[in-house]
Amino acid sequence: MSIWKFLFNLDERRYWYLRKMPAGPLREYYESTFPTPDTDWRQVEYLALDFETTGLDKDKDEILSIGYVPIRGQSLRLGEADHFLSRPVRAIPESSAVIHGIMDDTASSARPLEEALPRLLKSLESRVLVAHHAAVEYEFLSKACKRIYGYPFIAPVVDTLALEVRIFRSMDKPIRSGDLRLDKARVRYNLPRYPAHNALIDAIAAGELFLAQSTYRKRRKRALRLKDMTVIT
Amino acid sequence: MELQTLTFIVVGLTFALYIGIAIWAKAGSTGEFYAAGRGVHPVANGMATAADWMSAASFISMAGLIAFMGYDASLFLMGWTGGYVLLAMLLAPYLRKFGKFTVPEFIGDRYYSQTARMVAVLCLIVASLTYVIGQMKGIGVAFSRFLELDYETGLFIGMGIVFVYAVLGGMKGITYTQIAQYCVLIMAYTIPAIFISLQLTNNPIPQMGLFGSLSDGTPLLARLDETLIDLGFPQYTAQKTTTLNMVFYTFSLMIGTAGLPHVIIRFFTVPKVRDARLSAGWALVFIGILYTTAPAVGSMAFYNLAKTVQPGPVSAVDGAMAYEARPQWFKNWETTGLLKFEDKNGDGRVQYRKGGDNELKVDRDIMVLANPEIAKLPNWVIAVVAAGGLAAALSTAAGLLLAMSTAISHDLLKGMFAKNISEKGELMAARISMAGVIAIAGWFGLHPPGFAAQVVALAFGLAASSIFPALMMGIFNKRVNNTGAVLGMLAGLLSTLIYIFWFKGWFFVPGTEMLPNKPENWFLGIQPEAFGTIGAAINFAVAILVSKVTKAPPEHIQHLVEDIRTPRGAGAATDH
Amino acid sequence: MTVTIRTDTVDIELLEIRDFLAANHPFDQLPEDALAELPTMLQVRYFRRDTIISETNSLESYLYLIRTGAVEVFNIENEILARLGEGDVFGYRASHRPNQIEHHCTALEDTLIYQLSAQDVDKLCEHHTQFAYFFSSVVGDRLRDAINQATQVTSSQVNLITTPIRELIQRKPVTISPSASIYETARKMSKERVSSILVCAKGQLAGIVTDRDLRNRVVAEALDVNLPITEIMTFNPSSLKDDTFAFQAQLHMARHNIHHLPITHDDGIAGMVTATDLTKHQTTSVVYMVSDIYKQNKIERMQEVANKIPDLLVNMAVAEASADSVGHLITSITDAITSRLLQLAEERLGPPPVRYVWVAAGSQARNEQTAKSDQDNCMIIDDAYDPRIHADYFRELAKFVCDGLNACGYIYCPGEMMAITDKWRQPLTVWKGYFEKWIDQPEPMSLMLTSVFFDMRRVYGSRNLFREIAEYALEKTRGNRIFLAFMAGNALSHQPPIGFFRNFVLIKGGEHNQTFDVKHNGIVPIVDLARVYSLAAGSKAVNTLDRLDVVAEGGEVTSEGAHDLKDALEFICYLRIQHQARLIKAGEPADNFMSPDHLSHFERNHLKDAFSVVRTMQNTLSQRYKM
């Protein structure tokens, strides 16, 4: 897997999938090109995304709600934000319900993920995915696409958590436990305190954090490019 | 241990002590509102006053003056001590009653005249400046010696330290720091004196040792006279100038010192009048310890110096010390540039003589610091002396600089030229003027001694002839009005100025002297430095005469003067 | 593709942002449905500290709302126009002052901003007039005005507090000459449709006649209406100056049970205010409290009234009343309780055998009390006082009042600076002796006492006695630089809690860990400075703001410096009131220990500015007096 990624860059892999992909929302998604890694990061559009899930195991747990907000021209476009629930197949475990507050009866009135996913993929077209600890969103999304469309999901990704680690390292600051949590990271940038565990609020939170982090990475001789920001390109 | 390391350690320790006390005192002052603290004990306050009073001039220069001038230098002892007594007994109590903090304030209010006030401010600034010059010189000498640098570099380092010390300002005014400084200073002064006195005369008390006998039975002073005459100098214990001149010179110093601002304040920081008097008395005792030791230190240091460079009889060829065989302290002081040997006759020996064939130039300010080295005392004694010199210089310099910078920024600038200056601007002006004063003092420190000595004469002359009479009449003669006072001050001032310029050149420009500066040309044999006393007399006369023929001062001023002199409220304040 | 937000979800999900908008002017003026929709129109941007904000978007194309952080706005000359904090707006149409065109702005701190496009602002203005009003009028957001803004009385409940009485005057005064007859007077009153008329001789107020006088003194007595009006008028009615606050006028009327109050200004009569004029404006609970106090005959009942003070403080804090007016209001309650207690005591013990005056000291004297504080007071008795005969009477009197005050929550002064202490209940001569001793021998204890007793104000009793002692003290201190130097030294003993690097210096450990004492390190230094200035200037003013006004005129301190100090005091006191109100609301006792964590970034910055001002002024003072 890693050699595969090493040998082929993201766009090449996109072509690879496109070659054999049947028509459908995922194919439409893959038909739009990814932003190239060498573009100025400010020219790129992003989508800050957050899922609430029934747990953290991508093989067992399911997506409960999806929230996202696009970032264009260094500003969060709240008017284009979206948030919706998706109906899980299994019952929501109590351990997760206490976190995100989504109950079985709320969730049961939502549409299944199959109907929700196209909307999300449409919003992701030509954009870079932004999330805090993006591996969760990325893997759940990939898993869902595999299950529904038979192919995995790939995209350029900015992980605000990974950016935060880089910033800590560049300043030679030791990282203590909890320092990298979304709310703790936001405090450092003087961002307001939001209630956590609502997909849209968390997505906005991650988006704002990204804006903040990017201003702190600006001071360089050459303009920053997309590849300076992303963890998956 | 290496001397330099030891010096660093001792100086460092004393500084740590001052700072520690400052922090401790500061922490203690922000106590509970209702737990009102008690005042400072008069003895403690007396020590603090003594530390304020005794400057590097007292610590370093006075013994040096005595060493080289002999008996005549006693006028400095008397003048400065007398100045203190005058200040403590005659001025401070009345100023306090008048509710005034500084001499210019008193003069301005008593003579209801802004002009009178400004004249006083200017005179005091000049007088204080000369005092600061003395401190700078002392600091420069001390630093250059114990950092083993040349004098200029030592002076620059000293200027920097004084500036930081004075700007931080925190340690000034904290009585306990002053007390610590006094203790360091007096120990540093007396310990080597005791050692040397023991060495030479077997008497541990230097004041008695001075009049004691050497191990061979000859009295110390007799031997000193003998040695000096051998070397071609005038007799040590003889009076070399007229008595009248000495009296006038002493008087000039006394009344010239009396208005110095930094010590007056000390009398007002004690809440109770009784305590203020007591602490003034104690301060005199503490000052006395040093002032009475100074003659012993001076004479013994000079005796030791002469014995070192001239171990044998003057007539003998090998009587003088061979330059090659010079001791370590000689080499150390040579690096500072304050001790210079010039082999005029090329015999490789140090001939220390009076007159043209002298081969050794000794800066007299090194005597106190070099004394323990010359006497081969242990290194720690030398280190303690260095710390003492710094304590003396810093405590006085900081106090004077603060007082001067306020006089410039508040009295002159805000009072006269920039009335609308903001509080921030005033603070800034104070800092700048402080830096300016240090720079000027430093410049004079670099260009001693001729010019500085003249300015000192001028300063004390001016203060003596202008301020002192105005103060005295302000307190004791209610009839003197503002016209009289201003004219009196101007008359005193001008006559003194002209007399000084007459013999020292107009504005000290060499070659413009009207008469050579020699005793036979002097009026009544009074040297220019001593003319302040005459100027003061002129001031008194003019002021009283002019006031007689002009309008009496306003009613309320006359009442005020009467009020000041009559004791009031002594028993009225009822205690509950 | 544009994704529209389903309104059902937005209501819940963007609630956070909606709530923030709803809490801030002018968005609070929008109706619920517009507010719910507003978040979707926003863009969120982030600016790092010291970066330029209007770089890519000019200030004309967006309205900006600061979510967190702080922003400085400049005009084209690069002069700073405003320093804005959380919840402030700038940009499109936000500032319409001439010469104050916002040109560019920079982030003072890391700042998160919501921006609303010009079109959307216009659209909102079209539909919502109240919202539009904000943009049409001059509503500056300069943060020098932060205080003004904060103290603007937003609730009509307390607007009597900040309104000077002159603004309530409805019309020019209706006056008549003393030579007029009763008949002529009544005619004029009915012609002018007034319920009262002022009788004036040579522009000076001589008396007042009201409807009630005509009824009670003329009709009921069947008096000849051709008699001169002077027969029935009330001579020399009590009047107030036109700069008195309206609430004080109301207090005055409540206290003296009058309904018509002539108002004067420097050159004569300004007009008349009636009880109705005042009640047209919302009456404040304070006035009720005070008139309540004057009706009570039992301490227990006064206690009940006094117990409402914390609630009152909370109310005023919510209404963001200025600290100055809060101080005046709360103190007026203390005054009322004190006066009423003295009235009751005199009723019980009989009239005083010799003259006396009850004097408030400390914060009560300065009109600067907040939540209930200790009592500081004293009693000055006429020199005719004979301890053998009169001692018992005055001891009982003082005991009654001090005990009463204690019962009402003004606990005994820990320093025993109360009239109940024998030492502070003395004849005039003894008091003069005290002042003389304090001034001549300014020991630490004396200085502490002077800092309490130099702030003195008569509450009840002989005015002449009070004037004598106050003038004596002033005369002794005027020009006494040595005493002033001691006072200055004392004024420097409390320093603002700000370190060399503009960091807060906090208390470490103990009960108040990580806080600072806003009273002793924030307010007391300013009060002390003002006292020294004021004594040096020989001014009679006692209230700190008044003192600063007076000394600025006298030149003891520059007007700029005095202004800065006033702003600093107002801001620090304002924060303290908010802090105490927060504690009271949480059911905790009010204290003075504030944690910087509870302040917004803007408040912290502004507080540091305030502390720096105090430090500069202290340094200047210390330099002048060489202490």
Side-chain angles (χ1 to χ4, degrees):
Chain A
M1 191 69 183
S2 57
I3 297 173
W4 164 247
K5 282 184 181 169
F6 178 76
L7 288 176
F8 300 95
N9 71 22
L10 212 57
D11 225 31
E12 286 162 344
R13 269 147 60 204
R14 182 175 67 86
Y15 273 117
W16 177 260
Y17 290 132
L18 205 55
R19 235 172 15 97
K20 44 186 181 173
M21 174 100 54
L26 191 62
R27 186 181 174 86
E28 275 172 41
Y29 167 75
Y30 278 132
E31 271 171 356
S32 63
T33 52
F34 289 155
T36 50
D38 282 328
T39 27
D40 186 329
W41 75 277
R42 284 169 295 190
Q43 311 291 329
V44 181
E45 288 191 25
Y46 303 83
L47 192 79
L49 175 70
D50 187 67
F51 293 156
E52 292 302 319
T53 59
T54 55
L56 287 174
D57 185 342
K58 66 177 191 318
D59 294 323
K60 279 201 328 237
D61 292 314
E62 297 175 74
I63 298 170
L64 284 174
S65 71
I66 298 168
Y68 56 79
V69 58
I71 301 170
R72 190 165 56 240
Q74 294 180 74
S75 84
L76 244 62
R77 310 287 170 148
L78 290 185
E80 296 165 39
D82 204 352
H83 178 254
F84 42 84
L85 302 178
S86 104
R87 190 169 69 212
V89 179
R90 280 166 299 225
I92 299 170
E94 198 194 326
S95 59
S96 81
V98 295
I99 295 174
H100 46 64
I102 301 170
M103 301 299 162
D104 278 327
D105 47 349
T106 330
S108 61
S109 66
R111 283 167 292 183
L113 189 62
E114 283 81 350
E115 286 175 45
L117 211 49
R119 229 161 104 185
L120 172 61
L121 287 173
K122 192 80 201 162
S123 298
L124 275 166
E125 274 176 20
S126 303
R127 284 172 172 158
V128 176
L129 193 158
V130 174
H132 197 72
H133 193 22
V136 174
E137 277 69 24
Y138 196 73
E139 283 173 359
F140 269 91
L141 189 54
S142 197
K143 178 84 185 168
C145 286
K146 245 188 197 157
R147 180 169 66 81
I148 295 165
Y149 307 113
Y151 285 93
F153 167 85
I154 56 165
V157 172
V158 169
D159 186 354
T160 49
L161 188 144
L163 276 181
E164 197 60 18
V165 172
R166 286 190 210 170
I167 288 167
F168 262 89
R169 295 224 173 107
S170 69
M171 294 191 301
D172 261 345
K173 266 174 32 183
I175 302 174
R176 280 162 310 173
S177 82
D179 270 352
L180 298 173
R181 287 209 326 262
L182 183 55
D183 53 339
K184 271 280 192 70
R186 287 173 58 87
V187 168
R188 281 194 293 277
Y189 294 96
N190 194 20
L191 290 165
R193 204 180 288 276
Y194 289 153
H197 302 299
N198 166 286
L200 181 53
I201 292 289
D202 281 355
I204 293 172
E208 289 173 353
L209 179 60
F210 171 59
L211 288 181
Q213 287 172 331
S214 65
T215 65
Y216 272 82
R217 299 211 64 199
K218 254 183 196 167
R219 309 267 159 100
R220 288 232 192 138
K221 281 175 209 128
R222 197 167 37 83
L224 282 177
R225 288 171 300 177
L226 179 59
K227 65 180 177 192
D228 297 321
M229 297 287 184
T230 43
V231 282
I232 302 171
T233 43
Chain B
M1 207 187 297
E2 193 72 14
L3 173 60
Q4 199 171 354
T5 334
L6 199 63
T7 315
F8 271 120
I9 291 172
V10 173
V11 172
L13 278 178
T14 54
F15 268 71
L17 177 71
Y18 308 148
I19 294 168
I21 289 174
I23 292 170
W24 167 77
K26 199 149 204 170
S29 70
T30 50
E32 184 52 30
F33 183 63
Y34 289 107
R38 283 180 33 231
V40 183
H41 193 272
V43 176
N45 200 60
M47 282 196 195
T49 315
D52 264 330
W53 179 261
M54 286 188 297
S55 56
S58 311
F59 189 92
I60 293 175
S61 304
M62 190 148 55
L65 281 170
I66 294 167
F68 290 92
M69 284 175 69
Y71 173 79
D72 285 1
S74 60
L75 67 90
F76 289 98
L77 276 180
M78 292 187 294
W80 282 332
T81 318
Y84 176 81
V85 174
L86 210 59
L87 180 66
M89 305 300 150
L90 214 50
L91 280 182
Y94 293 110
L95 287 188
R96 188 188 173 105
K97 253 191 187 166
F98 205 75
K100 295 302 158 201
F101 214 57
T102 60
V103 170
E105 263 172 22
F106 174 83
I107 289 188
D109 283 10
R110 164 63 182 82
Y111 296 115
Y112 42 99
S113 156
Q114 203 62 17
T115 322
R117 182 179 174 160
M118 283 308 136
V119 172
V121 169
L122 284 172
C123 288
L124 279 189
I125 288 177
V126 177
S128 308
L129 183 66
T130 59
Y131 234 68
V132 179
I133 296 170
Q135 313 309 311
M136 285 297 166
K137 176 96 193 290
I139 292 167
V141 172
F143 271 99
S144 61
R145 171 61 193 90
F146 87 78
L147 295 177
E148 288 176 7
L149 297 163
D150 62 313
Y151 169 68
E152 276 88 12
T153 321
L155 184 67
F156 285 130
I157 294 174
M159 280 161 69
I161 290 183
V162 168
F163 182 70
V164 172
Y165 189 88
V167 164
L168 290 181
M171 278 179 246
K172 170 73 191 136
I174 292 173
T175 312
Y176 292 100
T177 311
Q178 301 282 110
I179 293 169
Q181 280 176 338
Y182 176 78
C183 294
V184 169
L185 185 154
I186 203 70
M187 271 171 30
Y189 206 78
T190 47
I191 289 174
I194 291 170
F195 271 105
I196 295 168
S197 180
L198 269 175
Q199 262 181 6
L200 291 178
T201 65
N202 263 330
N203 193 330
I205 300 164
Q207 286 89 334
M208 292 164 74
L210 178 62
F211 302 104
S213 309
L214 298 171
S215 46
D216 62 1
T218 32
L220 170 66
L221 287 171
R223 175 62 61 85
L224 199 54
D225 281 345
E226 214 172 281
T227 315
L228 277 164
I229 291 164
D230 280 353
L231 293 174
F233 290 95
Q235 191 190 348
Y236 196 75
T237 53
Q239 183 181 329
K240 290 164 283 270
T241 171
T242 65
T243 309
L244 184 72
N245 185 41
M246 265 193 84
V247 169
F248 276 32
Y249 202 159
T250 309
F251 237 82
S252 258
L253 285 177
M254 258 172 83
I255 60 186
T257 344
L260 280 178
H262 67 295
V263 183
I264 288 193
I265 289 174
R266 270 275 154 220
F267 292 101
F268 305 144
T269 50
V270 187
K272 283 187 183 168
V273 181
R274 206 183 87 90
D275 286 356
R277 284 197 199 117
L278 269 179
S279 52
W282 278 109
L284 195 57
V285 172
F286 292 122
I287 293 171
I289 295 176
L290 189 139
Y291 274 30
T292 51
T293 314
V297 172
S299 339
M300 291 175 188
F302 193 77
Y303 177 78
N304 276 333
L305 175 74
K307 273 281 154 231
T308 311
V309 295
Q310 188 70 42
V314 177
S315 47
V317 180
D318 57 354
M321 175 184 76
Y323 183 64
E324 284 311 309
R326 67 194 188 281
Q328 183 59 38
W329 66 264
F330 198 102
K331 293 177 191 161
N332 288 342
W333 282 102
E334 273 183 318
T335 54
T336 67
L338 296 167
L339 189 69
K340 269 193 203 121
F341 168 66
E342 189 190 355
D343 198 359
K344 286 180 183 163
N345 59 6
D347 66 349
R349 287 183 180 276
V350 182
Q351 268 92 21
Y352 184 48
R353 302 284 183 274
K354 171 83 179 170
D357 52 353
N358 179 31
E359 296 181 343
L360 187 67
K361 272 171 96 179
V362 190
D363 189 300
R364 57 189 178 205
D365 283 349
I366 74 170
M367 290 314 291
V368 171
L369 293 176
N371 197 11
E373 293 177 88
I374 300 174
K376 303 186 188 75
L377 295 184
N379 277 353
W380 67 266
V381 178
I382 302 167
V384 167
V385 172
L390 283 178
L394 284 180
S395 66
T396 312
L400 267 173
L401 284 170
L402 283 175
M404 286 174 74
S405 64
T406 310
I408 294 172
S409 66
H410 189 67
D411 293 336
L412 277 187
L413 202 61
K414 196 171 170 71
M416 285 287 272
F417 302 113
K419 291 206 163 81
N420 290 320
I421 189 171
S422 72
E423 277 75 12
K424 262 196 176 146
E426 200 181 322
L427 276 181
M428 187 50 75
R431 300 258 155 92
I432 292 171
S433 51
M434 191 180 286
V437 168
I438 291 176
I440 295 169
W443 189 84
F444 280 120
L446 280 179
H447 297 86
F451 195 68
Q454 282 156 348
V455 176
V456 172
L458 177 70
F460 282 102
L462 294 189
S465 62
S466 59
I467 295 176
F468 178 77
L471 275 174
M472 284 295 115
M473 290 181 292
I475 297 167
F476 294 104
N477 190 338
K478 65 177 178 180
R479 187 61 184 74
V480 175
N481 59 16
N482 58 348
T483 333
V486 170
L487 286 179
M489 279 203 275
L490 288 177
L493 207 65
L494 286 175
S495 57
T496 313
L497 259 182
I498 290 170
Y499 191 81
I500 292 173
F501 286 159
W502 201 268
F503 292 104
K504 299 204 165 221
W506 296 98
F507 301 98
F508 303 120
V509 178
T512 58
E513 302 89 349
M514 305 303 286
L515 282 172
N517 191 13
K518 280 187 187 148
E520 50 271 30
N521 291 331
W522 292 339
F523 173 69
L524 295 178
I526 295 162
Q527 66 188 97
E529 285 86 349
F531 196 77
T533 313
I534 308 274
I538 295 173
N539 185 341
F540 273 115
V542 170
I544 290 169
L545 279 178
V546 171
S547 299
K548 269 227 155 67
V549 296
T550 46
K551 217 170 71 193
E555 197 80 350
H556 71 274
I557 297 279
Q558 299 200 35
H559 281 309
L560 211 62
V561 177
E562 276 169 7
D563 226 34
I564 296 180
R565 292 214 315 277
T566 43
R568 150 192 67 95
T574 30
D575 275 87
H576 283 264
Chain C
M1 172 189 132
T2 47
V3 182
T4 49
I5 297 189
R6 301 203 317 256
T7 43
D8 56 350
T9 52
V10 165
D11 274 348
I12 309 158
E13 315 315 345
L14 293 175
L15 203 65
E16 173 58 34
I17 292 165
R18 193 209 73 95
D19 287 349
F20 180 76
L21 293 169
N24 284 289
H25 202 58
F27 303 102
D28 54 349
Q29 302 296 323
L30 290 169
E32 202 56 42
D33 55 334
L35 259 181
E37 216 175 287
L38 191 56
T40 66
M41 301 179 185
L42 297 179
Q43 295 180 19
V44 185
R45 306 206 54 195
Y46 182 88
F47 296 92
R48 187 178 170 175
R49 168 200 303 264
D50 297 331
T51 53
I52 295 166
I53 289 183
S54 49
E55 185 177 43
T56 47
N57 301 293
S58 84
L59 281 166
E60 278 84 61
S61 43
Y62 287 100
L63 175 72
Y64 300 87
L65 170 66
I66 301 171
R67 172 65 206 242
T68 53
V71 167
E72 272 182 323
V73 185
F74 299 88
N75 66 10
I76 195 150
E77 272 98 39
N78 216 17
E79 293 163 345
I80 181 162
L81 290 178
R83 195 168 285 160
L84 305 175
E86 215 173 287
D88 290 323
V89 293
F90 61 101
Y92 180 65
R93 293 177 68 173
S95 165
H96 278 198
R97 285 187 215 184
N99 310 324
Q100 296 211 352
I101 308 291
E102 297 172 349
H103 181 258
H104 62 276
C105 39
T106 52
L108 206 56
E109 296 169 6
D110 291 346
T111 302
L112 192 71
I113 278 180
Y114 296 154
Q115 58 183 40
L116 188 61
S117 74
Q119 297 95 304
D120 287 334
V121 176
D122 289 340
K123 224 183 289 168
L124 282 169
C125 285
E126 252 170 65
H127 292 104
H128 308 286
T129 43
Q130 275 174 314
F131 181 76
Y133 178 72
F134 172 84
F135 295 97
S136 61
S137 68
V138 179
V139 182
D141 291 282
R142 286 210 47 183
L143 270 175
R144 176 116 215 171
D145 300 345
I147 302 155
N148 299 348
Q149 271 221 348
T151 54
Q152 250 168 26
V153 181
T154 48
S155 138
S156 60
Q157 254 250 307
V158 278
N159 70 15
L160 289 180
I161 297 166
T162 47
T163 314
I165 189 74
R166 75 173 88 87
E167 287 178 21
L168 297 186
I169 297 172
Q170 302 285 329
R171 53 183 295 177
K172 284 201 161 162
V174 181
T175 59
I176 198 157
S177 123
S179 56
S181 67
I182 297 175
Y183 173 72
E184 281 164 347
T185 310
R187 278 291 298 269
K188 186 158 187 185
M189 283 170 76
S190 70
K191 186 174 145 232
E192 299 274 353
R193 296 171 182 276
V194 288
S195 58
S196 64
I197 193 163
L198 296 173
V199 183
C200 286
K202 292 174 201 145
Q204 292 304 312
L205 183 64
I208 185 170
V209 176
T210 65
D211 276 350
R212 190 194 295 216
D213 295 335
L214 292 174
R215 186 172 71 235
N216 294 349
R217 296 180 192 166
V218 183
V219 183
E221 305 275 322
L223 205 69
D224 179 2
V225 292
N226 291 316
L227 285 171
I229 190 66
T230 45
E231 286 291 311
I232 63 153
M233 76 177 189
T234 308
F235 283 88
N236 299 324
S238 64
S239 63
L240 288 179
K241 297 272 278 179
D242 67 344
D243 57 356
T244 318
F245 287 124
F247 84 92
Q248 285 173 318
Q250 203 167 16
L251 290 174
H252 189 82
M253 288 159 86
R255 188 168 168 177
H256 296 282
N257 193 26
I258 53 177
H259 298 92
H260 297 88
L261 186 60
I263 304 300
T264 60
H265 56 71
D266 289 340
D267 0 286
I269 296 159
M272 169 92 87
V273 168
T274 65
T276 339
D277 291 336
L278 286 165
T279 39
K280 265 187 221 156
H281 291 255
Q282 271 282 4
T283 42
T284 75
S285 42
V286 177
V287 176
Y288 288 128
M289 286 169 81
V290 169
S291 54
D292 229 23
I293 288 165
Y294 280 105
K295 284 180 206 140
Q296 302 311 331
N297 290 318
K298 287 217 175 82
I299 289 171
E300 295 75 46
R301 300 294 307 279
M302 282 158 66
Q303 215 173 316
E304 282 169 27
V305 180
N307 283 341
K308 292 183 197 154
I309 291 177
D311 293 339
L312 178 72
L313 186 80
V314 172
N315 277 337
M316 286 189 285
V318 170
E320 306 211 310
S322 80
D324 184 35
S325 49
V326 172
H328 275 90
L329 275 176
I330 303 239
T331 311
S332 65
I333 296 171
T334 315
D335 285 358
I337 293 177
T338 313
S339 303
R340 184 61 193 153
L341 283 168
L342 280 158
Q343 287 172 353
L344 291 179
E346 286 187 11
E347 276 170 29
R348 181 180 297 194
L349 302 168
V354 292
R355 289 187 310 165
Y356 75 94
V357 60
W358 185 277
V359 175
S363 62
Q364 190 190 350
R366 293 193 306 269
N367 278 314
E368 285 165 14
Q369 286 186 317
T370 57
K372 276 188 262 176
S373 27
D374 309 344
Q375 45 172 306
D376 287 331
N377 48 49
C378 62
M379 200 190 250
I380 298 161
I381 310 171
D382 194 287
D383 279 335
Y385 171 81
D386 183 343
R388 283 165 305 180
I389 312 166
H390 306 134
D392 289 343
Y393 176 87
F394 287 107
R395 190 184 320 110
E396 284 306 307
L397 187 78
K399 187 166 164 17
F400 182 86
V401 178
C402 291
D403 287 351
L405 283 170
N406 188 52
C408 289
Y410 302 95
I411 54 164
Y412 296 122
C413 169
E416 305 204 316
M417 281 172 267
M418 299 174 291
I420 199 173
T421 315
D422 290 342
K423 191 174 177 183
W424 310 127
R425 191 181 65 247
Q426 292 288 342
L428 185 61
T429 320
V430 177
W431 272 100
K432 285 185 178 173
Y434 288 165
F435 275 99
E436 182 171 318
K437 185 182 163 203
W438 294 335
I439 292 164
D440 284 346
Q441 306 195 355
E443 295 168 280
M445 187 63 184
S446 309
L447 286 170
M448 194 200 69
L449 293 172
T450 43
S451 69
V452 173
F453 286 113
F454 266 109
D455 300 343
M456 44 170 21
R457 186 168 55 82
R458 168 193 163 274
V459 175
Y460 188 91
S462 163
R463 277 173 210 278
N464 287 340
L465 271 179
F466 177 74
R467 199 172 51 227
E468 263 196 69
I469 191 70
E471 280 173 4
Y472 180 79
L474 267 187
E475 187 204 321
K476 289 284 293 178
T477 48
R478 194 178 290 127
N480 189 334
R481 290 259 298 162
I482 294 174
F483 172 70
L484 289 172
F486 276 97
M487 289 290 281
N490 193 46
L492 302 176
S493 59
H494 293 103
Q495 307 230 333
I498 185 167
F500 191 73
F501 301 104
R502 261 176 79 84
N503 50 317
F504 285 111
V505 178
L506 302 176
I507 298 168
K508 293 209 177 60
E511 192 189 341
H512 304 296
N513 193 21
Q514 293 301 314
T515 60
F516 58 87
D517 183 340
V518 68
K519 182 180 173 197
H520 284 110
N521 298 114
I523 296 169
V524 169
I526 302 180
V527 170
D528 284 351
L529 280 171
R531 187 183 304 113
V532 175
Y533 295 145
S534 157
L535 287 177
S539 152
K540 279 184 198 162
V542 173
N543 176 266
T544 301
L545 293 182
D546 292 348
R547 279 176 167 169
L548 289 171
D549 277 336
V550 173
V551 295
E553 283 167 23
E556 188 60 30
V557 59
T558 60
S559 55
E560 181 198 346
H563 194 219
D564 286 350
L565 272 182
K566 277 167 67 181
D567 280 352
L569 180 68
E570 180 59 42
F571 189 74
I572 296 170
C573 288
Y574 166 77
L575 287 184
R576 171 164 81 153
I577 291 165
Q578 297 293 334
H579 165 78
Q580 293 188 337
R582 192 162 51 225
L583 288 176
I584 293 167
K585 264 194 271 185
E588 292 168 35
D591 67 20
N592 290 308
F593 295 95
M594 278 172 67
S595 159
D597 293 345
H598 288 144
L599 302 173
S600 75
H601 267 258
F602 158 68
E603 285 170 330
R604 255 180 278 173
N605 246 328
H606 206 77
L607 190 60
K608 284 178 182 175
D609 284 347
F611 285 152
S612 309
V613 166
V614 178
R615 195 165 58 179
T616 304
M617 302 303 280
Q618 284 193 334
N619 285 345
T620 317
L621 189 75
S622 111
Q623 185 180 295
R624 267 184 210 166
Y625 288 99
K626 306 173 186 98
M627 291 305 266

